[in-house]
Amino acid sequence: MKLDKLPNAIKSIPRNQRFFLGCWNNLTDEESVDSDRISVMSAVTGLIELNGLYSLGKTFNGDEKRISVGIEVCALLKKDMLLEKPHYKNIKDQLTALLDKNAKQNNVHSVNGRQILVGSLAKELIQLTNTHYVADALTELSSLLSPVFSLNEDPERDHFYKILQVTHHLIAALIAEGAHLAELSWIYRNVLAKSSPKTFSERFNKLTKILLQEKEQYKVVINLKNHGFSQKVLDYGGHITIGDFGIRNQALGICEATTVLEAKSFYRAANIAHEKLNDILDLLSHPMGRSVIVMGRSYDVELINETAPEKLQLELERLVPNPTYIFSSEKFKKYVESIAAFLVKTSGKKTPIFDAFRLSRIGITSQNLESKFLTYWTALETLTNNVFVTDHAKDLRIADAITPCITIDYINKRLASFLGAFKELNINQVTDKTNIVTNFTSISSLQFFKAMQNRDFCDAVYDATANQPYLQYQFKRFAYYCIFPHKLRDILENHQTKIKWQIQRIYRARNAIVHAGLKVNHLELLCANLEHYLKISLSSITDLLSNSASIESSEECFVRYDYAVSDILKNLKQEGANFDTLYQYLTIHQ
C-alpha cells in the first residue's frame, strides 16, 4: 500500500481531501498491488471491447465471448454512479437490461440476438462519455471534496467510498482516453502532492485544467542510435521522410526522428510518437539485418503555441507495473528447501512446474512487451495443462485451475500490505482498551488475521493510523469483512469472478497477437495482471510442496487449492463460521 508522504505544508488539509490524494496515489503508482492499482477494464472500455467482438461472428466461440463480456459490462454499468446522470441514464438503463445474464429472446442472449441494437446503444454511450465523462467526474469530486464527512458504520455506503469510486472511474476514463499510468502518477507527484500552489482547491483547479485540456499541436524529437542506419541516412542525403516522421542524420551513429502531432498533454504526445515510431522502425529494421536500431529513452516534446510555447524533456519508462516479488530471508529458506526436496523426488526430470519456472525467467528478462506477455501466458498454460480437463475453452480451464490459489493470496496480500504500511510508519505495536498489546514486528499473517476479528484490536489500529486516511479506510473496510464472515465470502467470490473475467480478457489479447498480429491496447496493464497470476501460482505450488512431501505435480496442487477454497467459502457463514481451512492455508502461505 502506498502511503501519502505529503510535504508538511499540506498535511493539514481536511481528511476527505487527503483521502482523495491517497486514492489517486494508490490507483496510479506502478508498484501498487494489483487490487489497489487501476484496472484496464471500465464500462467504456468494456463496451468498446464488446463492439469489437461482433466482428468475430460465430467463429472462435464469438457468441460465448460476447455473453461473457456483456455480463461483465452490465455489472460495471450498474456500479458506475456517474452514469446515473440524466444525459447517460436512459442509454445506460437500456444497455443493462439487454446485457443482463438473463436477457434472452427465443433462448438466445440479447447480446447476440439483438446485435444491431446493442451495438448502436453502446456506440452512443461511448460518444457521450467521450464528451462529458471526465468533466462530470471532476464536478462530482469537487462536490465530494468540499465538506468533511465522517465514516458510517458500513464502509460500502460511506462518503469515502464515493470518493474512491469516482476517482477510480475518472482514472479509468483517462486510461481509456490514452493516458499512460506514468503520466497519471506524474500528476500525483507534480500537481496534487506538491506544496505549491498552497491550497488544495488551487491544486485541484490545476488538475481540472490539465485533464480538460483540448488537443494541441506538439513537436516530438526522438534519437535513434545505429551506426549502419546513420550512414545509410547520410548516403541518402542526410534526411529521409517516412510516414509522419522526418529522420535526419545528427552525428555519427545518431539520427533524429521528428514528428508533429495533436495530443492533450506532453506525455500523451510522447506516447503517441513512441507508438508511431515503433511502427516505422518495424519497416526500417528489415534492411538492417540483425543490427538493431535503438530508440532513445529521452523525448524532446515542444508545445507549438505562438503565445506560450513550452518545451519538456521526458523519459518514458515502459514498465510492466507491479510490485517486486522478492522473498524475505525466511521465505527464501523455506522455498529453497521445498524446491530441493522436489528435485530429489522427481530425480531432476523435467515437469510442467520446472518448465513454467524456465518460461517465467525468460519473461522477466524479455525487453519486448509482447514477447514478455506471450511467454508468461505460455508458462501459465504449461503449468495448468492437465488440470480440470473438460469441454471448457482453454482460458476457462486455466481460470478454474489458478483462481483458488489467487483467492487465498488476496487475503495474504491484504494482510501483508497493512503490516508493510505499519512498518513504514513505525507503528510497532498497538494497545487496545483492555490493555492487550499486539506487537507487529513478530506477528504472523495468521495471528494478524485472527486479531482483525476482534473489534477492540481494530479500534486500536484505527486510532493509530488516524493521520493516514487511505490506509485507515482500507484497514477498517477489510476488518469489517473479517468480523462478518459472510461479507468476506461475498468479497472472495466477487474477486474470483473478476479473476476469471480478466483471464478470459488476457486470452483474447493473446489470440489477437498470435493469430492476427494485432496491437493490443493497455497491454502493459494486462501483462502486469498475467505476471501476478503466474508468480502467485508458482509461489502457491512451492508453498504447498513444502507442506506436503507426497505431492508430485502441479495438478495435485491446484486440485487441493480448489477443494480448500470451496470448503472455505462454504464455511464462511454469518453464524458459526468455521475458519479452520482458511487458517491452515494462511499458515502454508506465511
Side-chain angles (χ1 to χ4, degrees), residues 412-426:
N412 259 312
K413 179 174 58 183
R414 269 281 163 237
L415 298 173
S417 70
F418 294 134
L419 290 174
F422 298 160
K423 182 178 180 180
E424 194 172 342
L425 292 169
N426 293 317

Side-chain angles (χ1 to χ4, degrees), residues 50-57 66 110-112 114-115 118-119:
L50 178 61
N51 270 359
L53 287 172
Y54 281 124
S55 63
L56 292 179
R66 287 187 290 272
S110 58
V111 76
N112 292 314
R114 309 186 75 175
Q115 291 187 17
V118 172

Side-chain angles (χ1 to χ4, degrees), residues 326-339:
I326 300 175
F327 287 6
S328 66
S329 296
E330 184 180 347
K331 182 146 188 170
F332 178 73
K333 180 176 180 292
K334 179 181 172 184
Y335 171 80
V336 169
E337 291 171 354
S338 171
I339 288 296

